[in-house]
C-alpha cells in the first residue's frame, strides 16, 4: 500500500476521532469516553503507520480492546461468545503472521479482512461492537475497523480477483441481501445503521473480485462509506444525548424545529442513498475486468442494485420518521451548536472529496 493511501486512512481516523470528541461535551462520562477515543484512535494509527511486522502487535492491541468492549456489552451470550472467539482467532493469526511465511500471512489477512470489513457470516464482532458501543464511540469504531480492513483488502487484491473470486462474490451477494433485509426489520436506529454499513461494504468485496485495478479505488470508496456512516452514527448519538433513547418514529419533525440538524441529516442520508452509484459516476465502468469474470460481474451488478434499492427504502424511511413530520410539542428542542455543525460538515466534506473528487 502506497504512502498516499496510508495517509488517507490515517486522516480518516484522526478526523473521526476529532468529530467524536466534539460530540462528547454533553456526556456525563466524557472523561472516560475521551480515554477510549484516544486509545482506539491511537492504536489504529499505530497499526497503519508503523511498518510490518511491528504494526501487527498494535493490531492485536486494538482487537483486544474491542474484545474488552464486547465482554462488557449487553449482547446476547451466544453472539458474544462467537464474536470473542472470532476475535481470538484473528489475534492468533495476526501474531502468527508477524513472523511467518507468505501463506499464513495471506490467510491471516483474509480472516482479518472479513472481520474488519464485515462479511457475513463473519460480521458478528463488528455488528456487536458498533451496535452496543456507548455514545459516539460507535462511529469511531466504524472508521477504525473499516480503515484497517481496507489496508488488509488492498494487500489481498490479487488473491481475491484471481484466487477465489466466485466464493467471495457469492458471499458478498449474500451479505448484501442479508444485511439489507435486517435493516428493514429494525426499530432502533443504531442496529439499523450497523447493518446498513455491512450492506454497503458488501460492494467492496464484490468489486475486488471483478476489477483487477480496483485497488486504486478501494480505499477512497471505502472511506466514503466509513465517513458517511460515522456521520450518521454521531448525529443520532447527539439526538439521543438531547432527548434520550427512542425508537424510529417516536421523535419526528426534527428538521422543522432543528433546521441546522435537519439540513445536515438530509445531506448525510442523501449521500448514503447515493453510495452505490459512486463507483459508476467515478468511472468504474471503464476499468478492465479480470479474465473470465462474467459471472462475478453479474453478481456485483445484483449487489449494487440490491444495496441501492433497499437502501433507498430504509434510509428514506429513517429520514421521514425523524427529520420530517409533525414535531412533538412536549419536548424542549435544542439545535446543533457550532462545534457539532463543524464536525458534521468536516465529515461530509471529507466523504464527498473521497468519493467523487479523489
Amino acid at each position: 500500500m502506497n504512502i498516499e493511501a496510508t495517509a488517507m486512512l490515517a486522516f480518516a481516523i484522526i478526523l473521526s476521532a476529532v468529530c467524536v470528541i466534539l460530540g462528547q461535551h454533553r456526556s456525563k462520562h466524557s472523561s472516560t469516553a475521551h480515554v477510549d477515543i484516544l486509545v482506539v484512535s491511537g492504536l489504529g494509527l499505530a497499526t497503519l503507520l508503523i511498518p510490518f511486522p511491528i504494526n501487527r502487535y498494535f493490531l492485536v492491541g486494538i482487537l483486544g480492546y474491542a474484545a474488552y468492549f464486547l465482554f462488557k456489552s449487553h449482547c446476547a451470550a451466544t453472539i458474544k461468545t462467537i464474536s470473542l472467539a472470532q476475535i481470538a482467532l484473528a489475534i492468533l493469526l495476526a501474531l502468527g503472521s508477524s513472523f511467518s511465511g507468505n501463506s499464513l500471512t495471506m490467510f491471516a489477512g483474509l480472516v482479518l479482512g472479513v472481520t474488519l470489513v464485515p462479511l457475513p457470516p463473519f460480521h458478528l464482532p463488528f455488528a456487536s461492537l458498533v451496535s452496543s458501543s456507548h455514545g459516539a464511540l460507535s462511529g469511531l469504531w466504524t472508521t477504525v475497523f473499516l480503515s484497517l480492513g481496507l489496508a488488509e483488502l488492498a494487500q489481498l487484491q490479487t488473491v481475491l480477483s484471481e484466487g477465489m473470486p466466485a466464493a467471495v462474490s457469492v458471499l458478498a451477494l449474500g451479505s448484501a441481501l442479508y444485511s439489507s433485509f435486517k435493516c428493514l426489520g429494525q426499530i432502533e436506529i443504531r442496529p439499523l445503521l450497523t447493518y446498513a454499513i455491512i450492506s454497503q461494504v458488501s460492494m467492496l468485496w464484490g468489486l475486488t473480485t471483478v476489477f483487477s485495478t480496483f485497488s486504486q479505488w478501494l480505499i477512497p470508496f471505502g472511506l466514503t462509506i466509513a465517513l458517511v456512516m460515522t456521520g450518521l452514527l454521531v448525529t443520532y448519538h447527539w439526538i439521543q444525548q438531547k432527548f434520550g433513547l427512542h425508537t424510529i418514529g417516536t421523535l419526528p419533525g426534527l428538521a422543522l424545529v432543528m433546521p441546522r440538524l435537519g439540513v445536515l441529516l438530509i445531506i448525510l442520508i442523501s449521500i448514503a442513498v447515493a453510495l452505490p452509484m459512486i463507483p459508476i459516476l467515478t468511472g468504474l465502468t471503464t476499468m478492465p475486468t479480470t479474465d473470465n469474470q462474467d459471472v462475478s460481474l453479474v453478481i456485483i451488478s445484483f449487489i449494487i442494485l440490491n444495496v441501492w434499492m433497499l437502501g433507498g427504502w430504509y434510509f428514506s424511511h429513517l429520514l421521514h420518521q425523524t427529520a420530517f413530520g409533525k414535531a412533538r410539542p412536549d419536548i424542549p428542542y435544542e439545535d446543533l451548536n457550532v462545534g457539532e455543525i463543524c464536525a458534521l460538515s468536516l465529515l461530509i466534506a471529507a466523504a464527498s472529496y473521497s468519493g467523487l473528487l479523489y
Side-chain angles (χ1 to χ4, degrees), residues 211 217 279-289 297:
F211 297 99
W217 298 84
I280 298 173
L281 295 174
T282 52
L284 191 60
T285 52
T286 64
M287 290 186 183
T289 60
L297 187 58

Side-chain angles (χ1 to χ4, degrees), residues 10-340:
F11 174 76
I13 292 177
I14 294 171
L15 177 63
S16 296
V18 170
C19 294
V20 169
I21 287 174
L22 289 174
Q24 293 294 334
H25 69 284
R26 301 174 189 270
S27 176
K28 298 178 181 179
H29 307 287
S30 59
S31 58
T32 303
H34 288 163
V35 172
D36 293 332
I37 293 167
L38 292 175
V39 171
V40 172
S41 58
L43 289 172
L45 289 171
T47 304
L48 286 173
L49 300 177
I50 294 176
F52 183 88
I54 304 300
N55 66 337
R56 287 302 199 197
Y57 301 113
F58 290 96
L59 178 58
V60 168
I62 199 164
L63 289 172
Y65 208 61
Y68 168 70
F69 268 84
L70 283 175
F71 182 77
K72 294 195 306 177
S73 71
H74 299 289
C75 298
T78 302
I79 294 177
K80 184 185 295 188
T81 302
I82 296 173
S83 300
L84 291 175
Q86 184 175 331
I87 290 178
L89 175 62
I91 288 174
L92 290 175
L93 290 173
L95 287 173
S97 66
S98 64
F99 53 83
S100 66
N102 289 334
S103 58
L104 182 58
T105 301
M106 286 296 180
F107 180 68
L110 187 59
V111 173
L112 290 169
V114 298
T115 301
L116 297 170
V117 181
L119 182 67
F122 311 103
H123 66 294
L124 288 180
F126 178 90
S128 304
L129 185 64
V130 173
S131 61
S132 65
S133 292
H134 295 290
L137 192 61
S138 56
L140 181 59
W141 277 119
T142 296
T143 301
V144 171
F145 261 49
L146 292 187
S147 296
L148 299 182
L150 289 170
E152 296 292 337
L153 288 185
Q155 304 295 330
L156 294 171
Q157 175 70 47
T158 303
V159 176
L160 293 174
S161 61
E162 297 179 3
M164 52 181 72
V168 174
S169 295
V170 171
L171 279 177
L173 178 59
S175 172
L177 292 171
Y178 168 77
S179 52
S180 295
F181 282 113
K182 284 284 288 186
C183 288
L184 297 178
Q186 298 297 328
I187 61 172
E188 296 183 0
I189 293 173
R190 190 174 295 164
L192 185 152
L193 294 177
T194 299
Y195 281 98
I197 296 168
I198 298 172
S199 175
Q200 301 280 8
V201 299
S202 66
M203 293 186 292
L204 294 174
W205 285 100
L207 289 167
T208 55
T209 66
V210 177
F211 297 99
S212 57
T213 57
F214 183 62
S215 57
Q216 61 183 310
W217 298 84
L218 173 69
I219 289 175
F221 182 42
L223 285 181
T224 303
I225 296 173
L227 293 173
V228 169
M229 300 310 295
T230 295
L232 287 173
L233 286 166
V234 170
T235 301
Y236 281 105
H237 163 64
W238 289 338
I239 295 174
Q240 177 184 321
Q241 279 187 320
K242 296 173 188 290
F243 309 117
L245 289 171
H246 61 279
T247 57
I248 298 173
T250 59
L251 198 63
L254 295 181
L256 179 64
V257 291
M258 302 171 64
R260 287 171 287 186
L261 169 69
V263 169
L264 293 172
L265 184 59
I266 291 170
I267 293 173
L268 281 169
I269 291 183
S270 298
I271 298 175
V273 172
L275 277 172
M277 297 296 104
I278 287 178
I280 298 173
L281 295 174
T282 52
L284 191 60
T285 52
T286 64
M287 290 186 183
T289 60
T290 54
D291 295 335
N292 302 318
Q293 292 304 312
D294 293 338
V295 175
S296 294
L297 187 58
V298 172
I299 290 177
I300 187 58
S301 300
F302 276 111
I303 292 173
I304 292 176
L305 183 63
N306 167 82
V307 175
W308 178 48
M309 292 184 63
L310 293 181
W313 192 93
Y314 56 73
F315 276 126
S316 62
H317 175 71
L318 178 63
L319 181 63
H320 282 281
Q321 292 295 323
T322 54
F324 302 127
K326 183 178 180 180
R328 292 170 53 179
D330 58 329
I331 296 178
Y333 293 98
E334 179 184 357
D335 210 347
L336 299 181
N337 59 34
V338 175
E340 293 166 341

